[in-house]
Structure formats: C-alpha cells, structure tokens
Amino acid sequence: MSKNAKIAANGRQPAPGHRLKKLEGRMALLFLVPSLFGLLFLNLIPMLIALYTSMTDWVYTDGLFNWNFVGLENFVLLFQDDVFIQALVNTIIFTVVTVPIGILVALVVASLIDNYCNVKVAGIIRIALYMPNICNIVATSTIWRALYSSYGPFTNLMRALGWSNPPRWLGNENWALPAVILVAMWAKLGYNVFIYGASMAALPSDLYESAALDGANKRQQFFHLTVPLLSATTFFLTITGIISSFQVFGYSKVMTQGGPLNATNTMVYYIYTTAFKYYRTGYGSAISMVLFLILLAITVIQWVHNNKQED
C-alpha cells in the first residue's frame, strides 16, 4: 500500500509537530553517539577489564592474556597489606584536613574580597589566587621542594619566627604529610575562592539591605545570611574536593616519592608503584577497584543530595 493510500485509509495525516519531534529525537541521538562511544570504549570497557584484571595475578610485562585467575585473593591480601593500609589512612588524613580547612579559608577570603575590595581590585586578587591552580603540578612541587629545603625561604621564615631548629620538612616522617597538605591547600585555594566569588555575586542584595536596616553588622550578615545561602556551593566544593583529594598523586610523586617510610604514600601513588614499578598489575588493579568503590559512594551521595534539592 502506498503512503497516500495509508493516509487515506487512516483518514488522517501525521501532524507536523509529531514529525518534528521524531526528527529532533534522531538528531539528539546523532549528537549523543560520539559521547556514547567515548563512554563505552574509554570508560566502561576499561573498567570491566580492570575489574577482571584485579582478580588475576597478571604482570603486564609478560604480555596480554598471560594471567591466572585468582578470584578475590588480591582483595583479601589488600587488607593484610600494611603499606596499603597506610596509603589509605594517609589519603583519608589528606582529605579530612585539606577539604574542610581549604573550604573554610576560601569562604573567608572570598567574603573579604567581596566586601572590602572594589570590582577591579577584586578581579586582580582572584586571578592571582587562581594562578597556582592552573600551574603545572610538577613545576609547583619542584618550587615548593626548594622552599622546604634546609636553607629555603620557608625554612628561613620559620627561623625568623623563632623556630631555632626547623625539621627537614620533606625528609621527616612526622612533617612530610603536613608539608604536602600545605602545598595542596595553597594550590586549591584560588579555585574555591573563584567559585565562592561567583556564588556571592548572585546572592540577593535586598536581603543584606534589610539585615543592615535591622541593625545586623557584617559578622552577623556573614554567619546568618552568607553561610546559609552558600550551602549548595559549599556542598559542591566538599564533594568535588573529596573526590579530588582521593585522587592526589602529583605532589607525592614529585616532592617525596611517597616517603619517608611511606609517610606520604597515597592510594593513587601506591597503585602507580605497584603496577608500574613492581609490575604487580593484578594487585594494582585491585587497589584501583577499592578506590573506584570509594569514589562511587561519594558520587552516589552527591546524586541523592541533588535529587532531594530538586524535590
């Protein structure tokens, strides 16, 4: 039956709007195809390969398919591995310190810039603070290694402040992790300030005017207006900061190589050394699966929170 005969038999012709929606759907699918291929071949398939590899004793230098299936043995060994436990603890400490303190300092700095600097000066300060965030981590870490050296500027500053015998920051088991944490917080500060600054620019000014008329000072406005109104931004920075902190690698690699005595060894750095230095590819994949589950849990928390906010 021809198209015209079908139309005659049905007694009606498809509406133009219906045809337009079908066309839009096909176009949308066409635009999504590259992203779906990327998701499939760059994320999903590698993840499945890593999951299978984590249950083998594969050594990548032996070539492909030269592996033995060992089940969950690697995962059992993980929690008997003192180095892995220390790397996990170091990563948690790094996250617990850098995220809340970094966000608190950024919130205060962003508020000070917003309240006491004019537009041009505020822009210059934000850009200056943001520069370390876009600098190469290798260059940043190398500069801070020089600052932390026995007669570097940071160590001499501590002497000038009255500390007669400062430690070897990156060579001391007790001070190496705090030293790396300080660098990471310094580098991340500008990004957080930028995000807070953009959010503060969107806050309703009439609320602050009403609060000022009611006699609220700057401190009261900050705690009773600014902080609650920025709760969504704070949550976003907290979740992304946690995810970023669990993936920290460059600072440990360049500044300390995970030492001394694994004091700055992190989960990602341990994955790197296990898989590419000691050639235990299967065991390294098992560590990466644990890290993946941790980050997945954090992502689910963010997704649930966002859905509640929308409801």
Side-chain angles (χ1 to χ4, degrees):
M1 187 182 291
S2 67
K3 184 177 178 182
N4 292 333
K6 287 182 179 179
I7 294 172
N10 294 333
R12 54 191 173 85
Q13 186 174 0
H18 179 70
R19 292 199 303 269
L20 182 61
K21 286 183 179 180
K22 288 182 67 176
L23 179 61
E24 288 177 347
R26 290 171 182 170
M27 289 297 295
L29 184 61
L30 184 63
F31 280 110
L32 284 173
V33 166
S35 296
L36 292 175
F37 270 103
L39 180 66
L40 179 65
F41 291 104
L42 300 179
N43 293 93
L44 184 58
I45 292 177
M47 184 182 70
L48 294 175
I49 293 173
L51 177 61
Y52 180 77
T53 305
S54 68
M55 293 184 283
T56 68
D57 62 355
W58 185 41
V59 176
Y60 79 92
T61 54
D62 292 342
L64 291 175
F65 310 114
N66 189 7
W67 48 36
N68 298 310
F69 187 79
V70 296
L72 298 178
E73 181 180 329
N74 287 330
F75 295 94
V76 173
L77 292 175
L78 272 181
F79 294 97
Q80 300 172 358
D81 183 352
D82 292 337
V83 179
F84 169 74
I85 298 298
Q86 186 168 3
L88 177 60
V89 170
N90 289 342
T91 306
I92 292 173
I93 292 173
F94 185 93
T95 302
V96 168
V97 174
T98 57
V99 174
I101 295 178
I103 288 175
L104 177 62
V105 173
L107 178 58
V108 173
V109 171
S111 182
L112 291 173
I113 293 172
D114 187 64
N115 283 290
Y116 298 104
C117 296
N118 62 48
V119 177
K120 291 183 179 180
V121 175
I124 293 172
I125 294 174
R126 290 192 186 103
I127 291 172
L129 290 172
Y130 190 72
M131 289 302 293
N133 187 67
I134 60 175
C135 288
N136 185 277
I137 288 180
V138 175
T140 300
S141 301
T142 303
I143 291 171
W144 273 93
R145 283 187 64 181
L147 293 175
Y148 280 139
S149 63
S150 298
Y151 293 96
F154 184 84
T155 307
N156 285 333
L157 175 62
M158 294 298 104
R159 290 193 182 98
L161 294 175
W163 196 340
S164 58
N165 188 27
R168 293 178 60 244
W169 305 104
L170 300 178
N172 187 294
E173 184 181 357
N174 297 319
W175 286 101
L177 185 58
V180 173
I181 286 173
L182 178 62
V183 178
M185 289 173 56
W186 167 80
K188 189 73 173 179
L189 177 63
Y191 172 80
N192 292 343
V193 169
F194 238 111
I195 298 297
Y196 270 129
S199 299
M200 287 178 181
L203 295 180
S205 58
D206 55 333
L207 291 178
Y208 289 89
E209 293 170 1
S210 300
L213 290 174
D214 290 337
N217 56 33
K218 291 290 185 182
R219 182 181 62 82
Q220 292 171 326
Q221 292 177 26
F222 175 77
F223 285 105
H224 296 287
L225 286 178
T226 305
V227 173
L229 290 172
L230 293 176
S231 59
T233 303
T234 301
F235 179 79
F236 166 77
L237 290 176
T238 300
I239 294 297
T240 54
I242 291 172
I243 293 173
S244 176
S245 296
F246 266 92
Q247 295 175 325
V248 65
F249 170 77
Y251 300 115
S252 295
K253 168 62 178 171
V254 178
M255 297 178 71
T256 60
Q257 291 77 49
L261 299 176
N262 293 310
T264 58
N265 200 0
T266 61
M267 290 189 69
V268 176
Y269 186 73
Y270 192 41
I271 293 170
Y272 164 76
T273 55
T274 300
F276 300 107
K277 184 176 180 181
Y278 300 112
Y279 306 111
R280 300 175 65 189
T281 313
Y283 192 67
S285 296
I287 304 172
S288 69
M289 285 296 104
V290 174
L291 178 61
F292 167 74
L293 291 175
I294 293 172
L295 297 181
L296 178 63
I298 297 169
T299 304
V300 169
I301 291 172
Q302 182 185 22
W303 180 75
V304 171
H305 179 272
N306 289 341
N307 284 345
K308 287 182 178 179
Q309 292 292 102
E310 291 176 1
D311 294 339

